[in-house]
């Protein structure tokens, strides 16, 4: 079951107007095409590990669980502090955790859905008891700040969830579907890496192509989750999609017949924070009282690879 959530954003918010002073864009274009009004950008000393550690500490506090009781840490990130060790190992040490296992999982924007699903499989197998699942990113450090087609879209941040194995009951992940198709690699990728250029590289995206595939892919896996759980769109209480683009979110909700008032939106204030976007949105909706114990929550994402997936969670 979900025991708690937490989040952490960098200190500095950057508005569209501020970006328009750096690249040839406008507040109007960004708001109309994406719904984004601002994003947070990490400053000196703010990293994936530091943001992820703070989000994780807040999730532990909200769960009322001690760091010493965590035996599994999965960090979904494509922007680790170092090529190795994993950000999960670094966060584990920062939290003073010395037991259990910690590893990173890389599925770009789908990372949090992949990580929640993976953690659930560990917990339901009985091998582990309490998991910290973290989505943490500093995409600002992968961006080509001269490229207006990508640099206006992304932001930095981290979110975390504590999951606990419980006997019986139906709380926690009740259905999930993960998919990948590497043939779409060139539509969204980073043009560097340790084994090729020896550099970090920059994010490259054919936005229109990604957009074209997004709605169909995510609605397919969501429908598969509905079928597995034996429910319909009307049964869910909250739809918490990956926050890439308001138009993709609205089109997906409409296609599935999910009422707009059940959709949690944070893309306006966070931008696209990749693997961090869903836990940031979950934290916001728990903090303001929308998501409550017993609610049925659908999370979904699609991103580089392509990767895509959905998970249905009884809160
Ligand atoms: O999280 C991972 C998954 N990623 C996504 O889900 C992103 C999916 N894609 C998208 O969200 C959208 O495709 C974008 C927001 C990236 C772009 O929106 P679009 O409606 O697909 O626009 P477009 O790429 O078709 O570009 C329309 C026009 C172009 O000009 P021309 O060729 O029509 O003259 C672009 O050059 O807008 C121009 N443009 C801009 N103008 C002002 C592109 N970027 C900008 C910009 N400011 N920042």
């Amino acid at each position: 079951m979900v025991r708690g959530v937490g989040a952490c954003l960098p200190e500095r918010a950057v508005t569209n107007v501020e970006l328009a002073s750096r690249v040839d864009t406008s507040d109007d274009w960004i708001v109309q095409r994406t719904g984004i009004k601002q994003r947070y950008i990490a400053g000196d000393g703010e990293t994936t590990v530091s943001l992820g550690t703070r989000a994780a500490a807040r999730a532990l506090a909200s769960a009322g669980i001690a760091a010493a009781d965590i035996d599994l840490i999965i960090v979904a990130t494509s922007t680790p502090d170092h090529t190795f060790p994993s950000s999960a190992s670094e966060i584990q040490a920062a939290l003073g955790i010395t037991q259990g296992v910690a590893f990173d999982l890389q599925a770009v924007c789908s990372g949090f859905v992949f990580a929640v699903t993976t953690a659930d499989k560990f917990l339901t197998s009985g091998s582990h008891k309490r998991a910290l699942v973290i989505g943490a990113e500093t995409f600002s450090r992968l961006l080509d700040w001269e490229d207006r087609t990508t640099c206006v879209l992304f932001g930095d941040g981290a979110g975390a969830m504590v999951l606990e194995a419980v006997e019986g009951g139906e709380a926690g992940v009740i259905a999930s579907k993960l998919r990948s198709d590497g043939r779409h690699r060139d539509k969204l990728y980073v043009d560097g890496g340790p084994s090729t250029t020896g550099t970090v590289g920059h994010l490259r995206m054919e936005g229109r192509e990604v957009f074209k595939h997004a709605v169909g892919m995510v609605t397919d896996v969501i429908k598969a989750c509905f079928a597995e759980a034996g429910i319909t769109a009307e049964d869910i209480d909250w739809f918490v999609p990956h926050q890439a683009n308001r138009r993709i979110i609205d089109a997906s909700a409409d296609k599935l017949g999910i009422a707009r008032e059940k959709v949690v939106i944070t893309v306006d204030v966070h931008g696209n924070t990749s693997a961090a976007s869903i836990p940031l949105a979950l934290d916001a909706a728990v903090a303001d009282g929308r998501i409550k114990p017993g609610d049925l929550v659908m999370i979904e994402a699609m991103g580089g690879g392509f990767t895509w997936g959905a998970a249905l969670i009884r809160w």
Side-chain angles (χ1 to χ4, degrees), residues 25 29 33-34 109 148 207-208 210 242 244-245 247-248 272:
T25 190
W29 190 95
R33 302 281 175 149
T34 71
C109 297
R148 69 175 184 171
R208 217 173 300 186
V210 180
H242 169 49
N245 185 318
R247 287 153 58 211
I248 296 176
N272 179 348

Side-chain angles (χ1 to χ4, degrees), residues 17-146:
V17 172
E18 185 179 342
L19 280 187
S21 68
R22 288 203 238 162
V23 288
D24 180 16
T25 190
S26 65
D27 180 46
D28 271 359
W29 190 95
I30 302 171
V31 171
Q32 275 172 23
R33 302 281 175 149
T34 71
I36 298 167
K37 295 178 185 147
Q38 63 160 45
R39 72 288 294 141
Y40 290 83
I41 300 293
D44 291 345
E46 289 178 318
T47 69
T48 293
V49 167
S50 73
L51 296 169
T53 301
R54 256 173 267 152
R58 287 171 189 164
L60 287 172
S62 90
I65 282 180
D69 292 326
I70 294 293
D71 56 4
L72 171 65
I73 302 173
I74 307 180
V75 177
T77 188
S78 304
T79 47
D81 280 23
H82 302 99
T83 302
F84 73 79
S86 68
S87 294
S89 300
E90 298 196 49
I91 291 172
Q92 181 194 33
L95 292 170
I97 298 174
T98 52
Q99 70 287 343
V101 61
F103 59 89
D104 284 3
L105 187 154
Q106 215 275 52
V108 206
C109 297
S110 312
F112 191 74
V113 179
F114 277 51
V116 165
T117 302
T118 304
D120 177 60
K121 306 227 181 266
F122 274 73
L123 297 179
T124 51
S125 77
S127 67
H128 292 74
K129 288 269 174 287
R130 286 178 207 87
L132 250 178
V133 184
I134 302 165
E137 301 277 21
T138 43
F139 257 50
S140 64
R141 294 184 174 135
L142 283 181
L143 298 175
D144 174 353
W145 287 97
E146 314 261 290

Side-chain angles (χ1 to χ4, degrees), residues 17 27 44 69 78 82 126 159 178 196 199 212 228 230 263 276 309 311 313:
V17 172
D27 180 46
D44 291 345
D69 292 326
S78 304
H82 302 99
L178 305 182
T196 49
T199 62
K212 235 168 57 187
E228 187 181 324
V263 183
I313 302 168

